[in-house]
Amino acid sequence: MLSDSLKKTVRHAHQNIAQQLEDYRPRSSQNYLVAEIAKTLAGEYHKSQRICVIEAGTGTGKSLAYCLGALPLALAKKKKLIISTATVALQEQLIEKELPFFKEHSGIDFKFDLVKGRQRYICVQKLMAAVNQDDMQMSLVPTTSSPLTDMEQKCLQTLANAYQNKQWAGDRDSWEDTIPDKVWNLIACDKHACQRQMKSHHLCPFHLARQKIAQMDVLVINHALLLADLELGGGTILPEPEDTFYVIDEAHHLPHITRDFSSAAATIKGTIEWLEKLLKFSGKMANTIVSQKAIGQNFKLNDAANDASKYLRTVRDSLDKAEFEYNDNDTYRFINGDVPESLTTQAKDIADATLDALRALNKMHDALTTDVSDGDVQAFLADPLLVESGQYINRLEQLNKLWFSYAAKGESTPHARWIKRMEYKNHHDHLLCDCPIEVGFYLKDKLWRECAGAVLCSATLTALGSFDHFSKESGLIGEDGVKFIKADSPFAYQQQATLHLPKTTVEPTDKTFSDFLADALPQYLDKNKANLVLFASYWQMDHVVAALRKKKLNILVQGEMSREALLSRHKAAIDLGAGSILFGTQSLSEGLDLPGKYLENLIITKIPFAVPTSPVEEAQAEFIQSKGGNPFLSITVPDAAKKLVQSCGRLLRKETDSGRITILDRRLVTKRYGKAMLDTLPPFARQID
């Protein structure tokens, strides 16, 4: 229960913040959110399952609401508050703006920091080895099969100089210029090689950053880091889930990121080649380790790696002979995820062999780490070996994950499995892939049932007016005590914007629709104002751009320059009093913030239906059909409805904004699902021709 003193703390903090905000207006929706978040985390709705799912419309001030509702409670209960986001933009906003402002003016004292995955930091040892052109180091990473260019060498040297002169903290995000992937892969920190217990790594930027975690009250992370911690059992990278209140902002991304994180892939011939290199490497490592046990582990590793190679050659020969019907993308998907019996048998053998190899290599890796800590092996000799063994451990883990799944029978969760044929100049290979279709069970077991409490929020969590689609995807459907909250925007939609559905002569499904758009669009553009036109596909956008540029229209197009440069050019034109026309796809609308005069005319060319072309989407549709469902109504329509709300949400960012939305897709009024979509949009003034 919320104590009177806690209620008082929250109330005072809210009042203090209100006094510091310009043009502050009390918002009933924000007050409601603060109260509901606090009550949920205090256990007023359910003693053990303290979770609320919030759809907060634009302008509700959700970040302030969750800070006010969750932080005082976390401090009082001695819990950590972890705020997880999907985008770097929101992380930067929280770290650079929202949290400093809240700390300065709320009257609540707390410490906060941004926590990044170790791959965002350099390993100093690897950086110095790369600068000194250590051949062993350069041969480890697959991307360095070709030598670094002069430009890449210069970048490497510049990074090293900046770090040594204390002009750079050693994390990728704080380096102002772009660091090429090839260079970064050489010097990035990894969990196997860069270990804190080794003296040579005590001062690596990642470990220095991690030491600060225990002193922090609020940690800002991304969804990928959250999942990385859950994969390790929770509490390894981040604080223990049972000691943590989580705020999952941009929560609509969480199911898809979880799915990507749970997938696995590996080639056949490529794997055989690196297993051969592993055999040579393990002998070198065994000779360096002081313990005699290393010899036995080396024999086990060699036997297991040889077995894995033998089984993989059998698979290679089978796939070369197999008469699979590959599609235009050289991909063959196993129907219902069912792998042929012959491949399942081989998969079990490969999974067993890779697990044995992984165990042996891990023991050798640990033994060498101990030798260095004990002073029996010098760090400069061990470090390159630990870096290389770390690379092989990562590969073996991924390999085992893939083949263990291919060997699985009678699994409770459906998987998409497919093969992609890889054609090279002088040879070919096969890439085998695996991805779970549903991940709700994973989040339920690893997070929701373990954490002290959680707040999931986004501007778009409902689909067609219901939380069902999201709650099923995220593992919250049917869970006791989960509170679902919809907080409406404070905007006066009827007065601020008009939604126009003009009559059109061509259906969006017609192949002449792109030509129709090229002819029709000019009459809906306002050349003196800020325009944003959103397309359902890059192909259609490019087709229309080519036609309109022939008519001398000046258009800024997504993909022709960076997002930052695009928006900068757009804003500069508006600031000069000229109009601007910005063209983009659905991906541009995600997180796009163009308040006031920077967007007054929004045109959506088509309902953003996704075509199930990826093997995962196809498998998902197939699974729903097998259960007697309709994939179009179960997945495609709800997803498109959320995207349409998101797209329309670009127009009004502040209570003083105004403008017009035009949608050139009559299915919103002619189809039953279209009417349902239309009803979920904000209550703009409507003009339906």
Side-chain angles (χ1 to χ4, degrees):
M1 296 290 286
L2 271 171
S3 65
D4 289 338
S5 63
L6 261 177
K7 289 177 183 175
K8 191 175 178 182
T9 300
V10 173
R11 202 159 41 242
H12 281 176
H14 205 163
Q15 287 167 355
N16 292 340
I17 291 286
Q19 288 168 8
Q20 297 299 324
L21 285 170
E22 289 182 29
D23 303 323
Y24 177 80
R25 297 180 196 171
R27 295 172 178 171
S28 58
S29 55
Q30 189 179 63
N31 296 339
Y32 172 58
L33 287 183
V34 173
E36 290 300 301
I37 290 168
K39 285 179 187 176
T40 299
L41 296 180
E44 290 197 11
Y45 296 119
H46 197 279
K47 283 188 178 179
S48 57
Q49 189 115 285
R50 305 179 181 196
I51 298 172
C52 60
V53 180
I54 298 167
E55 180 174 271
T58 310
T60 48
K62 61 182 169 61
S63 55
L64 176 58
Y66 60 63
C67 284
L68 283 165
L71 184 52
L73 203 71
L75 294 170
K77 302 280 186 186
K78 292 184 168 49
K79 305 289 185 190
K80 296 284 187 187
L81 178 63
I82 288 181
I83 304 173
S84 182
T85 78
T87 61
V88 173
L90 182 53
Q91 281 187 333
E92 289 174 347
Q93 184 180 320
L94 284 163
I95 287 292
E96 295 169 13
K97 185 180 173 186
E98 309 268 3
L99 289 172
F101 182 87
F102 190 83
K103 181 175 180 176
E104 184 181 352
H105 301 297
S106 65
I108 299 172
D109 187 33
F110 64 95
K111 294 178 180 176
F112 64 91
D113 201 6
L114 176 65
V115 183
K116 293 178 281 193
R118 66 171 75 229
Q119 72 280 0
R120 304 305 295 175
Y121 297 90
I122 60 162
C123 170
V124 178
Q125 203 75 16
K126 289 166 82 170
L127 174 63
M128 295 310 152
V131 168
N132 296 327
Q133 296 189 320
D134 185 317
D135 290 337
M136 182 185 293
Q137 174 78 6
M138 298 293 283
S139 67
L140 302 185
V141 188
T143 52
T144 55
S145 52
S146 58
L148 294 182
T149 63
D150 290 344
M151 183 274 289
E152 289 165 341
Q153 287 281 9
K154 186 179 178 183
C155 174
L156 199 58
Q157 190 64 58
T158 306
L159 292 170
N161 292 342
Y163 182 75
Q164 288 175 311
N165 295 328
K166 299 191 178 347
Q167 296 168 331
W168 176 47
D171 63 303
R172 193 171 189 174
D173 305 296
S174 67
W175 189 255
E176 289 187 4
D177 203 357
T178 301
I179 302 174
D181 287 343
K182 202 176 193 182
V183 173
W184 188 256
N185 290 338
L186 269 180
I187 62 177
C189 177
D190 76 84
K191 64 181 177 180
H192 300 293
C194 191
Q195 298 186 32
R196 190 161 57 91
Q197 63 265 39
M198 294 170 61
K199 289 178 185 175
S200 55
H201 294 275
H202 277 185
L203 299 178
C204 274
F206 169 74
H207 297 302
L208 291 175
R210 281 297 181 269
Q211 286 171 23
K212 289 161 55 180
I213 284 182
Q215 303 156 24
M216 297 298 134
D217 303 300
V218 181
L219 302 171
V220 178
I221 65 170
N222 63 18
H223 296 346
L225 184 60
L226 171 62
L227 290 163
D229 186 56
L230 297 179
E231 181 83 355
L232 295 169
T236 303
I237 305 170
L238 303 167
E240 294 286 347
E242 61 262 33
D243 297 326
T244 304
F245 287 147
Y246 294 89
V247 171
I248 314 290
D249 205 338
E250 301 176 311
H252 60 285
H253 286 292
L254 187 62
H256 296 286
I257 293 175
T258 305
R259 197 171 68 187
D260 292 343
F261 197 86
S262 304
S263 61
T267 57
I268 303 295
K269 291 180 182 177
T271 300
I272 293 169
E273 286 174 9
W274 68 254
L275 283 172
E276 288 172 0
K277 291 178 183 176
L278 173 59
L279 293 172
K280 294 175 185 175
F281 164 75
S282 64
K284 193 192 310 179
M285 192 174 185
N287 290 334
T288 309
I289 298 169
V290 173
S291 170
Q292 288 300 306
K293 291 179 182 176
I295 298 170
Q297 293 303 329
N298 187 34
F299 281 135
K300 288 181 181 177
L301 176 58
N302 275 259
D303 287 345
N306 278 319
D307 285 346
S309 292
K310 180 179 71 177
Y311 300 135
L312 282 164
R313 286 189 182 93
T314 305
V315 173
R316 176 196 64 191
D317 295 342
S318 298
L319 293 180
D320 283 342
K321 293 173 188 169
E323 296 181 356
F324 293 139
E325 292 184 15
Y326 291 91
N327 65 17
D328 293 341
N329 291 321
D330 283 325
T331 300
Y332 173 79
R333 184 178 61 83
F334 294 106
I335 304 300
N336 298 317
D338 292 333
V339 177
E341 190 67 41
S342 57
L343 187 53
T344 303
T345 305
Q346 295 296 336
K348 188 179 185 315
D349 291 335
I350 296 168
D352 290 343
T354 51
L355 184 59
D356 289 342
L358 185 58
R359 285 172 175 161
L361 185 55
N362 268 319
K363 286 178 181 176
M364 291 173 71
H365 187 96
D366 292 344
L368 185 54
T369 303
T370 303
D371 285 346
V372 176
S373 298
D374 293 346
D376 295 330
V377 177
Q378 290 178 299
F380 78 90
L381 291 173
D383 271 331
L385 295 170
L386 289 170
V387 169
E388 193 165 0
S389 65
Q391 296 280 351
Y392 284 124
I393 288 169
N394 283 332
R395 287 177 171 185
L396 283 168
E397 286 173 344
Q398 180 81 348
L399 195 61
N400 179 256
K401 185 178 180 181
L402 173 79
W403 289 105
F404 179 80
S405 176
Y406 266 62
K409 280 285 184 185
E411 60 204 357
S412 56
T413 55
H415 279 238
R417 298 189 178 95
W418 68 98
I419 298 175
K420 185 169 177 63
R421 193 166 48 192
M422 318 284 282
E423 295 291 344
Y424 300 100
K425 192 174 181 180
N426 298 316
H427 72 287
H428 69 277
D429 203 346
H430 294 90
L431 176 71
L432 272 68
C433 306
D434 175 272
C435 180
I437 292 171
E438 295 187 337
V439 293
F441 72 95
Y442 180 89
L443 291 168
K444 182 186 294 187
D445 292 343
K446 299 271 189 179
L447 185 55
W448 312 135
R449 291 185 175 172
E450 298 295 327
C451 68
V455 177
L456 293 83
C457 55
S458 170
T460 48
L461 286 181
T462 60
L464 305 176
S466 166
F467 282 101
D468 289 352
H469 185 59
F470 174 76
S471 58
K472 186 175 188 303
E473 280 190 318
S474 57
L476 290 169
I477 198 160
E479 286 292 290
D480 290 340
V482 179
K483 184 88 173 164
F484 292 93
I485 301 162
K486 200 170 187 323
D488 293 329
S489 168
F491 294 169
Y493 285 105
Q494 286 261 340
Q495 287 75 45
Q496 289 179 252
T498 299
L499 174 65
H500 180 205
L501 262 72
K503 284 186 176 176
T504 56
T505 55
V506 180
E507 284 286 308
T509 51
D510 196 297
K511 55 184 170 186
T512 62
F513 187 67
S514 299
D515 293 327
F516 160 76
L517 287 176
D519 290 336
L521 268 175
Q523 65 181 295
Y524 302 111
L525 293 168
D526 188 332
K527 295 178 187 176
N528 300 314
K529 290 185 177 179
N531 301 264
L532 172 63
V533 184
L534 293 174
F535 290 83
S537 73
Y538 269 104
W539 176 87
Q540 197 157 70
M541 178 175 74
D542 291 342
H543 180 89
V544 174
V545 166
L548 292 183
R549 280 179 173 164
K550 287 177 183 175
K551 299 177 182 179
K552 308 300 181 189
L553 272 179
N554 188 18
I555 305 168
L556 294 169
V557 182
Q558 180 186 5
E560 293 186 351
M561 60 185 82
S562 72
R563 183 180 172 121
E564 292 74 20
L566 199 68
L567 298 181
S568 179
R569 289 268 293 272
H570 173 77
K571 289 177 178 178
I574 300 302
D575 288 339
L576 288 170
S580 177
I581 302 169
L582 186 58
F583 274 24
T585 63
Q586 178 66 33
S587 61
L588 184 70
S589 74
E590 178 79 12
L592 185 66
D593 193 25
L594 292 171
K597 64 180 181 179
Y598 296 120
L599 181 55
E600 294 181 284
N601 189 35
L602 172 64
I603 301 170
I604 298 168
T605 57
K606 195 174 181 180
I607 297 172
F609 286 122
V611 181
T613 52
S614 79
V616 176
E617 290 167 332
E618 289 173 352
Q620 203 173 17
E622 180 181 74
F623 176 67
I624 287 170
Q625 274 181 316
S626 73
K627 299 290 183 186
N630 182 325
F632 181 72
L633 295 177
S634 300
I635 306 173
T636 311
V637 170
D639 279 346
K642 282 198 290 186
K643 287 175 183 173
L644 189 62
V645 171
Q646 204 170 57
S647 296
C648 289
R650 296 313 97 203
L651 183 69
L652 303 181
R653 308 304 297 166
K654 295 180 179 178
E655 290 173 70
T656 52
D657 290 355
S658 62
R660 185 178 187 83
I661 300 172
T662 303
I663 303 179
L664 300 172
D665 192 331
R666 294 292 291 185
R667 288 177 294 183
L668 285 174
V669 287
T670 60
K671 303 287 185 184
R672 185 180 294 177
Y673 66 76
K675 290 175 181 176
M677 284 183 177
L678 195 57
D679 289 342
T680 63
L681 294 179
F684 304 110
R686 289 186 183 178
Q687 179 189 338
I688 300 175
D689 297 347

